[in-house]
Amino acid sequence: MQIRLLKDRILSKLMLALTIFSVSLVALIGAGLYYKSVPLLRDNTWGSLLFSSVWEPMKGLFGFFPFIMGTLWVTAIAIIISLPLCLLTAIYLAEYAGTTVKKIVNPLVSLLAGIPPVIFGVWGILFVVEFTTGYSVLAGGIVLAVMIFPLIVSIITEVFNTIPRELKDASLSLGATKWETVRKVILRKALPGIIAAIVLAVSRAFGETIAVLMVCGNVPVAPKSVFDPGYPLPALIANNYGEMLSVPLYDSALLYAAFLLFVIILVFNLVSRIILNRLERRISG
Amino acid sequence: MTNAPHISVQNLNVQIGNNLILKDVNINIPDKKVTSIIGPSGCGKTTLLKTFNRLLDNTADVKISGKVLVDGENIYDPGAEVTHIRKKMGLLSQRPFPLPMSIYDNIAYGPRIHGTTKRKDLDQLVEHYLRATGLWDEVKDRLHSSATRLSIGQQQRLCLARGLAVEPEIILGDESTSALDPVSTQKIEELFLELKEKYTIVLVTHILRQARRVSDYIIFVYMGRIIEFGPTEEVLLNPQEELTREYVKGFIS
């Protein structure tokens, strides 16, 4: 009896410690990246780093604007392309498809999620770059859209499945069609879940490196249209870290890029959490 | 029975997966009366109710054969239009499921779908059906606040009002009071008694006293078959079948 209780107490403390450890990793990573960027920040202001477009490390000029814009363009394009497709697919899978279709499609969607990014990159070079847009942020966006598709579809389908059958029946029994039920009841009820799915997808898209790097051209100039090449932050870090570190401050600049990426994702997650909380309160009354 | 039946079920079989849920069901549900379907849990009474407005259609692996005639029209005819059939019936489920919108929009939901769009008409409809279910005085000052803020009992009456607003002929109740407190239960039961002037009402219930209080006729279902059907007093007080007698006395539950 005593030992059972003791075991329970020790385990709960242990799990608490592990939880604290994994959560504190986030803070540690942030602090580490910031610490490494300090040399760069000593010589430059935040304003010039964020908004200057001049990237000439040899002359000690580090403007991150092109990279920030590259990241935002690629991510925005990916979400704009994939969201409507994902929504309609998820609606179909959750509300219309028969069991046979579900049994075939669901494993395929999971399979798509398991394909390594480098394969998407190769596919992007062979098909997207070759036949459509050339090396550009659009190519990056398309490849990324395909990569986040399974993530969004599976989360949104899951959200739809958690909506009580009786609520759908209530709408149907009033003579509504399935589509009317989807549009007026299910989407409304699922909105917080859909936003959560988008948040996850955006965070994933921000950070996706290799596939995007292979297709979007990697020219350090802020893109002006979707057909321009771009150079997202993760690609900058992956392409250069470990090389050219003899250039003064280059090392620090790359870690500053990592820090920026970290902060963008953090702020984005915080903001969306606030929006989600508001929404949930409004919907559940 | 003086009136022609409103719903006529002929040779109905329902199979879900490998389970035969309803076996060779034949029944005539009288017009403008309250008919209660009673029977032990899992006997198929809710399934029977759901065949009346084709809500079983969306269940996976369901096979339905036989006919259900509503106003003489077979609702399982391949050409039958399912939204039209469902519009004829208001459904009141076990727990209230208000739509995720305001009180006003809950009532206006059905009429809007079926083509009423003028603000004035909708205002009138909303007031009329909220009065009909005794909710008007309780909610008239907060028509545009979320329906989920109402109490469970009020929500259930809202769901009834929402169903009535599409002008159905039939009201289907699936253990509609099982989540409610005694006062709310009584209000719903009183509403049923009022509504049978204009509507045919079919209720699934597992409370025999409730069946006795509100219904004119009783159907006793056991293991997917209809065992007995007749006027309430006769079925409850003088059942013809051994199974019914045992159930009514509480031997089967």
Side-chain angles (χ1 to χ4, degrees):
Chain A
M1 191 63 190
Q2 287 299 332
I3 293 178
R4 281 176 55 225
L5 292 178
L6 195 65
K7 220 189 225 173
D8 192 54
R9 209 168 300 159
I10 291 173
L11 273 174
S12 86
K13 289 275 166 4
L14 184 69
M15 287 185 277
L16 174 69
L18 287 173
T19 310
I20 290 172
F21 172 71
S22 45
V23 171
S24 62
L25 273 182
V26 178
L28 277 176
I29 291 173
L33 291 175
Y34 181 76
Y35 171 74
K36 283 286 192 180
S37 341
V38 166
L40 184 76
L41 287 166
R42 211 175 287 139
D43 293 0
N44 299 278
T45 62
W46 275 85
S48 72
L49 288 174
L50 291 179
F51 297 111
S52 158
S53 295
V54 184
W55 179 259
E56 289 181 30
M58 299 299 190
K59 294 183 188 161
L61 296 173
F62 297 99
F64 284 91
F65 189 70
F67 305 101
I68 296 170
M69 288 317 281
T71 298
L72 295 181
W73 273 86
V74 171
T75 306
I77 293 168
I79 298 292
I80 289 167
I81 294 175
S82 68
L83 188 61
L85 293 176
C86 291
L87 262 181
L88 292 174
T89 307
I91 289 170
Y92 180 74
L93 284 177
E95 305 302 328
Y96 288 83
T99 19
T100 328
V101 176
K102 281 187 204 169
K103 270 183 195 153
I104 298 170
V105 174
N106 284 335
L108 282 178
V109 172
S110 324
L111 183 72
L112 202 57
I115 295 177
V118 68
I119 296 183
F120 282 105
V122 174
W123 168 78
I125 293 173
L126 289 178
F127 293 93
V128 182
V129 170
E130 191 70 12
F131 293 117
T132 57
T133 59
Y135 290 95
S136 63
V137 284
L138 181 58
I142 292 174
V143 170
L144 205 48
V146 178
M147 292 178 70
I148 57 178
F149 177 84
L151 181 73
I152 307 185
V153 167
S154 54
I155 297 176
I156 297 182
T157 311
E158 213 39 61
V159 171
F160 285 159
N161 286 337
T162 59
I163 294 173
R165 169 76 182 273
E166 289 89 341
L167 188 65
K168 299 170 193 173
D169 283 355
S171 167
L172 293 173
S173 72
L174 295 168
T177 60
K178 271 189 186 176
W179 178 247
E180 284 162 340
T181 304
V182 166
R183 204 161 54 85
K184 298 185 175 175
V185 178
I186 298 180
L187 283 181
R188 236 186 153 108
K189 193 84 179 169
L191 192 59
I194 292 171
I195 290 180
I198 297 171
V199 171
L200 260 175
V202 169
S203 305
R204 167 111 162 70
F206 273 144
E208 178 48 45
T209 310
I210 195 76
V212 175
L213 170 161
M214 288 165 80
V215 297
C216 69
N218 303 333
V219 177
V221 175
K224 290 199 172 48
S225 86
V226 294
F227 302 111
D228 288 344
Y231 205 161
L233 284 166
L236 171 73
I237 303 165
N239 270 344
N240 299 299
Y241 198 77
E243 292 167 28
M244 297 170 51
L245 290 187
S246 51
V247 180
L249 288 182
Y250 203 95
D251 165 49
S252 183
L254 291 180
L255 287 163
Y256 178 73
F259 181 68
L260 275 184
L261 198 59
F262 182 82
V263 170
I264 291 176
I265 292 176
L266 207 66
V267 168
F268 179 76
N269 270 282
L270 279 178
V271 170
S272 41
R273 185 130 307 262
I274 293 167
I275 295 174
L276 264 179
N277 281 342
R278 290 237 172 109
L279 259 178
E280 256 158 18
R281 223 175 302 147
R282 215 188 64 199
I283 286 180
S284 65
Chain B
M1 266 172 267
T2 47
N3 296 322
H6 199 161
I7 305 175
S8 176
V9 182
Q10 297 171 1
N11 306 321
L12 182 75
N13 284 280
V14 175
Q15 191 178 347
I16 298 175
N18 290 322
N19 298 328
L20 203 52
I21 310 285
L22 290 177
K23 297 162 196 161
D24 205 26
V25 169
N26 286 284
I27 196 86
N28 287 323
I29 302 218
D31 193 26
K32 302 217 172 41
K33 301 280 180 204
V34 180
T35 305
S36 287
I37 307 174
I38 61 168
S41 315
C43 70
K45 50 190 193 298
T46 295
T47 307
L48 179 59
L49 191 79
K50 284 188 174 176
T51 57
F52 297 162
N53 68 349
R54 289 194 47 178
L55 269 185
L56 280 186
D57 291 17
N58 301 321
T59 310
D61 297 323
V62 67
K63 285 195 204 93
I64 302 167
S65 67
K67 284 183 185 174
V68 176
L69 306 178
V70 176
D71 300 325
E73 184 191 359
N74 180 17
I75 63 170
Y76 284 97
D77 189 87
E81 197 198 323
V82 69
T83 53
H84 172 69
I85 294 158
R86 290 190 183 133
K87 186 178 172 299
K88 283 188 180 179
M89 327 222 179
L91 174 74
L92 203 54
S93 55
Q94 287 194 17
R95 288 195 294 125
F97 280 91
L99 302 170
M101 46 190 84
S102 69
I103 295 169
Y104 185 99
D105 289 334
N106 259 275
I107 310 283
Y109 183 82
R112 275 186 181 134
I113 280 174
H114 299 293
T116 310
T117 48
K118 280 201 200 117
R119 186 77 200 187
K120 229 179 80 189
D121 299 344
L122 287 171
D123 285 350
Q124 259 177 5
L125 278 174
V126 169
E127 178 171 347
H128 178 259
Y129 288 106
L130 285 174
R131 280 190 192 283
T133 49
L135 267 175
W136 178 254
D137 290 329
E138 294 163 46
V139 303
K140 65 178 180 219
D141 301 321
R142 44 175 174 155
L143 288 177
H144 295 284
S145 73
S146 168
T148 48
R149 289 196 199 144
L150 297 173
S151 74
I152 298 291
Q154 288 173 323
Q155 285 184 22
Q156 193 64 315
R157 280 185 285 150
L158 179 74
C159 291
L160 183 58
R162 179 182 69 192
L164 295 179
V166 297
E167 296 172 350
E169 303 166 3
I170 301 165
I171 297 168
L172 306 174
D174 182 7
E175 297 183 19
S176 313
T177 60
S178 59
L180 306 185
D181 61 85
V183 176
S184 303
T185 302
Q186 201 191 344
K187 281 186 184 158
I188 295 278
E189 285 181 7
E190 280 164 8
L191 281 169
F192 283 150
L193 290 174
E194 248 171 67
L195 291 168
K196 75 169 179 178
E197 302 287 319
K198 286 197 248 167
Y199 304 90
T200 299
I201 301 178
V202 188
L203 305 174
V204 163
T205 180
H206 60 272
I207 310 165
L208 291 178
R209 272 171 299 158
Q210 179 173 63
R212 190 165 176 193
R213 282 195 298 265
V214 297
S215 50
D216 304 301
Y217 293 91
I218 285 188
I219 301 170
F220 174 61
V221 182
Y222 187 72
M223 307 260 286
R225 287 181 198 283
I226 290 187
I227 306 296
E228 192 158 350
F229 169 64
T232 300
E233 297 290 310
E234 276 178 37
V235 174
L236 289 182
L237 300 179
N238 187 22
Q240 300 301 305
E241 301 289 330
E242 187 58 34
L243 278 168
T244 319
R245 197 168 310 148
E246 285 180 19
Y247 180 73
V248 171
K249 282 184 187 162
F251 290 128
I252 315 171
S253 62

